[in-house]
Amino acid sequence: MAEITRPEIRKPRNMLFRLLGPGLVTGAADDDPSGIATYSQAGAQFGYGLLWTVFLTTPFMIAIQLVSGQIGRVTGKGLAANVMELAPRWLVLSLIFLLVAANTFNIAADIAAMGEALTLVIGGLNHEHALIFAATSTLLQVFVPYRRYAPVLKFMTLTLFAYVATALTVKIPWSAALLATIWPRPTINTDYFLMVVAVLGTTISPYLFFWQASQEVEEMHKGKNQGKMRRPLRELSRGGHPEIDRIKIDTTVGMIFSNVIAFFIILTTSAVLNAHGVTNINSATQAAEALRPLAGDFTFLLFALGIIGTGMLAIPVLAGSAAYGVSEAFGWPATLEAKAPDAVGFYTIIAAATAIGFGLGFTGIDSIHMLVWSAVLNGIVAVPIMAMMMVVVTNFELMGRFRAGPWLIALGWIGTALMALAVIALLWSFFAP
């Protein structure tokens, strides 16, 4: 059966909306409450001095997510399933175990931040609010089929514009900010270097790789019930390049969008917190609280609501990427389109990761420690996974005529090397006397 392709002529107003999907959602999910905390600390501690980092990470972020998306669409399988064909089973299972642990800590920090943010806005108890967010996220994933849930995730990316609006509510010395972005003057010390490492690790995270590859597979299967399921590109004797172009547009827009939001978060906290001597931020909600007396209630409200919106987008991505990885490794059905009885293992991982993340909020472990452990585990997982992804995307048997071109290979390996250096620096900071 020939693959069913999109019609050549579309309504212009719907064209961009249809082109954007997994890449846009993945990019937006990168700016979760944990990421907001990192960017807020970067702005508060170093002012405009780290705005340049979002431009440094953008091309490598685009490249590695392009690799992820293309692997999923070309092979018709998720990332873990492809890596299993090249790497020893024990190694893949070990990395996926670390991925699940890192994602769970990240979920815990995000749920806690969302609960605290809602408490700041309307009052009440942090844990009660956190339970509502955790339960809502889990129920949506389990009971809403992917074909209906995907548009919801896409729509929720609009919540990130709260951070653009936040920046517009404060006075920003644009000339100084843009000059620092274009012509940075780095402070050569350990704190500055480690913050650069933290920003790099926040923007390039393993859960994003697993999520985007699997979402491309979900997109292929979305029309299965209507007899419109598309085939993996490697099974086509000709054509298929429009799909690769669609992934490029979707991913490029998504990653640029993600880093633009990061830019505005650093910009806002630089202009308000750093300018008023507030240089230590341990969580996204602490950043919101610090903004309130300095920038006013409206700025605080936008920032706090942004935490809630981005968290509702990020938790499904964190829990879902863990479930995709585990399910593919063990050969279980792995799709958000399946009903719960048909994919018990997959949905159990989603529910367990979210429930454990919620439960960690009662252990007394503060969110900053959960973020630290998440960062360490993500770093350990990211480098070997990125290396394996580069091996997969250049493998002719797996990718066929859609194996990566020279520029994507170069950017992917440079990004992998940068992450390796970041991990070495991070580990050195923990164990250095």
Side-chain angles (χ1 to χ4, degrees):
M1 181 186 293
E3 182 181 19
I4 297 176
T5 58
R6 292 178 171 82
E8 292 297 325
I9 300 174
R10 305 183 194 135
K11 296 180 180 180
R13 65 178 182 177
N14 294 330
M15 186 181 298
L16 184 60
F17 183 78
R18 293 184 181 182
L19 285 175
L20 301 181
L24 176 65
V25 172
T26 302
D30 192 35
D31 292 323
D32 67 326
S34 303
I36 294 168
T38 301
Y39 300 134
S40 296
Q41 176 59 25
Q45 188 173 2
F46 295 103
Y48 307 114
L50 285 175
L51 285 172
W52 62 271
T53 56
V54 299
F55 294 100
L56 169 70
T57 58
T58 298
F60 305 114
M61 192 178 177
I62 291 172
I64 203 66
Q65 291 302 141
L66 271 178
V67 167
S68 172
Q70 290 185 21
I71 287 173
R73 184 64 185 90
V74 170
T75 66
K77 296 187 293 185
L79 192 55
N82 277 286
V83 171
M84 289 280 285
E85 296 193 23
L86 299 176
R89 181 180 174 83
W90 66 267
L91 176 60
V92 178
L93 291 177
S94 299
L95 292 174
I96 289 174
F97 173 80
L98 293 175
L99 171 76
V100 173
N103 285 10
T104 303
F105 280 117
N106 212 329
I107 289 170
D110 286 353
I111 289 176
M114 293 162 68
E116 292 168 6
L118 189 56
T119 297
L120 290 176
V121 174
I122 67 171
L125 299 176
N126 293 343
H127 291 313
E128 289 179 349
H129 296 154
L131 176 60
I132 292 171
F133 292 131
T136 301
S137 175
T138 303
L139 291 172
L140 284 173
Q141 290 178 88
V142 173
F143 293 107
V144 179
Y146 177 79
R147 64 184 180 277
R148 294 177 182 167
Y149 192 42
V152 174
L153 292 175
K154 195 187 300 189
F155 177 78
M156 288 177 64
T157 62
L158 296 175
T159 61
L160 270 73
F161 282 106
Y163 293 105
V164 178
T166 300
L168 298 178
T169 65
V170 301
K171 185 177 181 180
I172 295 173
W174 286 100
S175 58
L178 294 176
L179 180 62
T181 304
I182 299 170
W183 194 263
R185 296 181 180 179
T187 305
I188 309 301
N189 59 39
T190 303
D191 290 341
Y192 184 88
F193 183 66
L194 288 179
M195 185 52 65
V196 173
V197 170
V199 171
L200 183 64
T202 297
T203 52
I204 302 177
S205 300
Y207 72 89
L208 303 176
F209 313 155
F210 285 85
W211 176 262
Q212 187 165 352
S214 294
Q215 292 311 285
E216 287 296 339
V217 180
E218 294 275 21
E219 288 290 321
M220 286 173 50
H221 296 165
K222 192 163 61 173
K224 184 177 181 180
N225 293 337
Q226 291 79 35
K228 298 178 181 179
M229 187 174 76
R230 293 173 289 171
R231 294 158 56 194
L233 294 184
R234 68 180 178 184
E235 295 182 6
L236 304 179
S237 58
R238 58 192 178 91
H241 290 288
E243 279 293 286
I244 298 297
D245 292 338
R246 190 262 311 160
I247 292 171
K248 289 178 180 177
I249 294 170
D250 182 23
T251 302
T252 301
V253 171
M255 300 310 122
I256 290 175
F257 175 56
S258 174
N259 281 7
V260 165
I261 300 303
F263 179 89
F264 276 100
I265 294 171
I266 296 174
L267 186 68
T268 301
T269 51
S270 299
V272 180
L273 304 185
N274 180 267
H276 289 84
V278 180
T279 59
N280 188 32
I281 295 296
N282 290 327
S283 69
T285 48
Q286 188 178 341
E289 283 187 287
L291 285 169
R292 190 174 210 163
L294 300 173
D297 288 340
F298 185 60
T299 301
F300 153 79
L301 182 63
L302 285 173
F303 203 95
L305 292 178
I307 294 170
I308 296 169
T310 58
M312 285 302 295
L313 178 63
I315 290 174
V317 176
L318 287 159
S321 61
Y324 283 121
V326 172
S327 299
E328 290 165 13
F330 286 100
W332 303 340
T335 173
L336 288 168
E337 189 67 23
K339 295 181 179 179
D342 299 326
V344 174
F346 178 73
Y347 288 119
T348 298
I349 299 297
I350 288 177
T354 308
I356 294 171
F358 169 70
L360 286 173
F362 293 87
T363 62
I365 304 175
D366 59 64
S367 59
I368 192 64
H369 281 94
M370 288 188 281
L371 288 181
V372 167
W373 281 109
S374 176
V376 171
L377 293 173
N378 271 325
I380 293 172
V381 173
V383 177
I385 288 292
M386 289 172 73
M388 290 177 190
M389 287 169 62
M390 295 310 301
V391 172
V392 169
V393 84
T394 55
N395 186 290
F396 182 79
E397 291 185 8
L398 293 176
M399 299 294 291
R401 58 194 175 91
F402 294 100
R403 57 185 173 178
W407 73 270
L408 186 57
I409 294 172
L411 281 176
W413 279 115
I414 293 172
T416 303
L418 279 175
M419 277 302 299
L421 289 174
V423 172
I424 292 170
L426 186 63
L427 295 176
W428 174 81
S429 72
F430 277 100
F431 298 110

